Amino acid sequence: MPNEGICMQDHFYITTAIDYPNGSPHMGHAYEKIVTDFYARYHKLMGKDTYFLTGTDENGQKLKTSAEKANKETMEFVNQNVDIFKDLCQKLNITNNDFIRTTEERHKNVVHNLWKKLAEKDLIYQSEYTGHYCDDCESFYTETQLEDGDNCPHHHKPLPQKTESGYFFRLSTFQTWLKEFHNENPKFIIPNASRKEIIARLDDEIRDLSISRPNQGWGIEVPGDNQYVIYTWFDALINYYSALDDKTLKYWPASCHVIGRDIAWFHTIIWPAILKAADIELPQHVYVHGMILAEDGKKMSKSLGNGVDPLELIDKYNLDTFRYYLLKSLPSHSNGRFSEAALIQDINTSLANDYGNLIMRAVKLTMKRVGPELSYSDEFEMSFNFDSLLEKVNANIKNFEHDKAIKEIWTELTSVNQYINQKEPWTIKEPTTELKTIFFNCLYSIHALTYLLYPVMPETSVKILNIIGQDLNRNPFEDIKSLTYKLTDPEILFPKIQ
Ligand code: ME8
């Protein structure tokens, strides 16, 4: 059966890629976690049984080298960095249910079992391999994959030929199946541009995958052969499955793996083949988000000095405004440039002017003219119904276009601002039904739109709901007639930045 969309499952299991803890987290890490958290929170809000996994990828040889450079034991070095990644999750207010580290026993056990299963089926074998090897990617490349004939397609440096003996996964035997699978499941890879890139590469011959490295004292040993450790990508992908235990296995298959473009091949070709080989059900979607570029349009890098530190930005700006900017302003289906100036502009215009002012005006004026409490009455004519907005937002979310979803919400917010300007409630001095109607419409709009913005700005949304005497348990799309708003004086929610 082709899989059409996330709403078919009654649960929602979403994952980020697991990060290499060989340095401090960068903007890409922060962005991916915020995007994934948005989807986790949204589905939970819509009543789905949601599970969210993130973690760290700790078995690569690169970590050993980085630790050596830092004059530290590898485990000590990794532990210190993992703490920084965990701290980042907290600072970003990420609602992950679990954080997997691939040096944990629970992960190793599942990887070993899976390896043994594939070996028994003769899908893993021992042999020799010659190819162009990139130490940074920890990956072999074929002639056709090289850039300009001999460069790494990611690191743009010449790659020497290397021959290695070791263990191989029969990836080549899955080539036909992979083509069929991707044909039958057009929504497996989102967006379409990424899907096309991957499918085009499926026309080239796929070679078996080298899945072991000589054991240098770091990594998961190959079962029954301690001369080798398991290739880090092979073990890393398995984290999405190994993190689940007896209680949480019900969440498999995952609804969505959220990853960046640079690792799409691993998730959409190698991972499905491993799962198929092991007779495990495949995830529903791989959502390939864009890469964050520096303001100059180049890749952020330490050597170019054009990078921005997410932790510094959170200290400088309010977290929710940072989340809002990344989710709304960076394109969900392509690469985007990070600009601090654009972030400030978003805070000052969209947030402070459009949203903050609406709340200030509506709440303060209602309190002044009709008092701190306003209940629905059949006498009110409702000018706003957000059911079609909800439908549009749901459709965008289903297609992993959170930026469009937020823009839809903003279009409605603009019309509420227009409504209040047209109605000029400040000119009506008595608490008439007409005045109460205007205020109820405004408060209801703030309620419904804020509810939908919760996955974007969780803390601020709860604060705003509190100002009107509401919380997340009260779904504004149900039973409008029993709504009562109890108002408290609003604080300034989005201070302007000079
Ligand atoms: O790739 N913009 O880890 P990682 C947006 N351990 N996303 C970015 C980015 C950028 N500038 N730079 C990186 C790994 N990312 C592996 C994953 S999963 C089984 C193993 C994304 O720390 C990147 O695409 O290099 C990936 O999804 C995530 O950050 C972690 O990258």
Side-chain angles (χ1 to χ4, degrees):
M1 260 290 281
N3 74 54
E4 303 250 317
I6 45 181
C7 293
M8 286 167 68
Q9 286 179 309
D10 59 0
H11 69 255
F12 185 72
Y13 172 28
I14 192 160
T15 65
T16 65
I18 48 173
D19 305 327
Y20 290 127
N22 57 348
S24 301
H26 53 61
M27 275 297 289
H29 294 132
Y31 177 63
E32 184 167 300
K33 288 184 200 308
I34 289 172
V35 166
T36 312
D37 188 56
F38 167 85
Y39 286 96
R41 284 185 191 263
Y42 188 84
H43 284 88
K44 201 163 177 197
L45 190 67
M46 294 297 140
K48 286 244 167 155
D49 180 6
T50 301
Y51 199 73
F52 173 7
L53 176 72
T54 189
T56 38
D57 181 356
E58 306 182 10
N59 295 312
Q61 301 307 302
K62 243 189 291 180
L63 287 169
K64 191 171 180 281
T65 330
S66 303
E68 276 161 11
K69 276 190 198 149
N71 254 331
K72 289 198 174 126
E73 285 294 316
T74 317
M75 200 66 235
E76 182 199 353
F77 173 78
V78 170
N79 283 342
Q80 281 173 355
N81 284 341
V82 169
D83 283 345
I84 306 176
F85 277 86
K86 284 188 170 170
D87 184 47
L88 176 74
C89 291
Q90 266 199 336
K91 291 206 165 115
L92 296 175
N93 198 6
I94 299 301
T95 52
N96 56 301
N97 299 88
D98 194 0
F99 186 104
I100 186 160
R101 299 184 53 180
T102 56
T103 45
E104 287 169 336
E105 281 304 309
R106 58 168 171 163
H107 175 69
K108 285 190 198 172
N109 291 339
V110 175
V111 171
H112 271 178
N113 286 340
L114 215 133
W115 178 290
K116 285 183 207 155
K117 187 171 181 183
L118 300 197
E120 273 163 25
K121 290 174 92 178
D122 190 37
L123 291 168
I124 288 178
Y125 63 95
Q126 243 182 320
S127 183
E128 272 198 348
Y129 190 94
T130 301
H132 298 266
Y133 189 75
C134 175
D135 288 323
D136 288 328
C137 298
E138 300 196 20
S139 193
F140 274 105
Y141 290 100
T142 60
E143 304 278 329
T144 47
Q145 289 168 339
L146 293 177
E147 190 182 70
D148 304 327
D150 53 10
N151 287 339
C152 168
H154 297 293
H155 297 93
H156 318 290
K157 60 175 188 185
L159 298 184
Q161 276 231 337
K162 191 169 170 180
T163 299
E164 254 187 33
S165 69
Y167 292 84
F168 292 83
F169 169 55
R170 288 193 199 280
L171 183 61
S172 62
T173 57
F174 292 93
Q175 180 150 10
T176 312
W177 171 79
L178 280 162
K179 276 188 183 174
E180 281 166 14
F181 171 76
H182 283 294
N183 264 335
E184 283 168 14
N185 294 279
K187 295 268 178 197
F188 181 75
I189 307 176
I190 291 175
N192 211 22
S194 298
R195 170 181 151 79
K196 279 189 184 157
E197 273 171 26
I198 296 292
I199 290 188
R201 283 176 66 187
L202 270 178
D203 287 337
D204 297 336
E205 187 204 346
I206 299 185
R207 292 172 67 177
D208 287 348
L209 184 70
S210 161
I211 52 166
S212 64
R213 296 285 175 266
N215 189 352
Q216 294 171 357
W218 187 253
I220 303 179
E221 284 178 6
V222 164
D225 188 349
N226 63 10
Q227 278 195 303
Y228 293 97
V229 289
I230 298 175
Y231 171 44
T232 182
W233 264 106
F234 188 83
D235 96 73
L237 288 163
I238 297 169
N239 89 87
Y240 304 125
Y241 187 69
S242 67
L244 304 178
D245 60 15
D246 289 350
K247 278 192 193 136
T248 49
L249 196 58
K250 63 176 181 186
Y251 291 111
W252 193 263
S255 314
C256 181
H257 297 314
V258 179
I259 54 147
R261 288 179 111 163
D262 55 333
I263 58 171
W265 179 259
F266 291 99
H267 284 81
T268 59
I269 299 299
I270 297 172
W271 181 225
I274 295 173
L275 290 170
K276 174 77 179 161
D279 304 312
I280 299 173
E281 237 186 296
L282 266 60
Q284 291 227 312
H285 301 285
V286 175
Y287 163 46
V288 185
H289 62 72
M291 304 302 274
I292 300 197
L293 306 173
E295 201 164 359
D296 56 12
K298 294 191 180 135
K299 201 178 157 183
M300 284 188 186
S301 93
K302 276 190 192 144
S303 54
L304 289 174
N306 61 358
V308 272
D309 179 350
L311 291 168
E312 265 177 31
L313 286 166
I314 306 167
D315 281 344
K316 204 162 157 192
Y317 304 99
N318 166 298
L319 168 66
D320 279 356
T321 58
F322 178 61
R323 290 175 59 118
Y324 169 82
Y325 165 75
L326 292 180
L327 290 165
K328 191 208 77 175
S329 298
L330 291 180
S332 55
H333 283 189
S334 56
N335 295 346
R337 298 177 186 203
F338 177 85
S339 149
E340 206 167 334
L343 166 67
I344 293 173
Q345 180 158 354
D346 263 350
I347 296 174
N348 288 348
T349 54
S350 306
L351 293 175
N353 288 353
D354 300 348
Y355 194 27
N357 275 351
L358 171 68
I359 296 160
M360 285 291 167
R361 287 204 288 180
V363 173
K364 285 196 164 186
L365 213 53
T366 310
M367 287 177 87
K368 196 167 155 196
R369 295 285 160 81
V370 303
E373 199 167 308
L374 184 59
S375 300
Y376 176 86
S377 154
D378 283 334
E379 289 180 305
F380 298 164
E381 192 190 318
M382 287 306 291
S383 302
F384 293 98
N385 174 329
F386 297 108
D387 289 352
S388 69
L389 170 68
L390 184 61
E391 270 174 36
K392 282 187 220 162
V393 169
N394 276 333
N396 286 321
I397 299 294
K398 200 168 159 185
N399 207 25
F400 294 92
E401 292 182 286
H402 46 269
D403 53 343
K404 284 195 185 163
I406 299 170
K407 282 169 191 154
E408 294 287 358
I409 299 172
W410 235 258
T411 307
E412 293 297 327
L413 216 128
T414 309
S415 35
V416 183
N417 269 320
Q418 280 164 357
Y419 168 85
I420 197 166
N421 286 343
Q422 269 165 13
K423 297 284 179 185
E424 298 184 320
W426 42 89
T427 60
I428 308 170
K429 304 289 179 210
E430 294 301 316
T432 57
T433 304
E434 185 197 355
L435 187 66
K436 286 182 183 170
T437 301
I438 302 169
F439 287 149
F440 192 88
N441 270 291
C442 291
L443 295 175
Y444 177 67
S445 303
I446 291 169
H447 185 186
L449 301 179
T450 301
Y451 185 82
L452 288 179
L453 285 168
Y454 161 76
V456 184
M457 298 184 279
E459 272 187 359
T460 311
S461 302
V462 170
K463 237 189 236 173
I464 297 170
L465 291 175
N466 281 339
I467 291 171
I468 57 171
Q470 293 295 334
D471 60 32
L472 289 171
N473 295 320
R474 181 61 169 90
N475 181 342
F477 296 90
E478 285 166 9
D479 193 17
I480 294 179
K481 295 189 174 183
S482 71
L483 278 170
T484 292
Y485 294 114
K486 292 183 180 163
L487 311 178
T488 42
D489 235 344
E491 56 180 295
I492 292 183
L493 295 156
F494 306 105
K496 282 201 178 187
I497 294 165
Q498 294 309 317

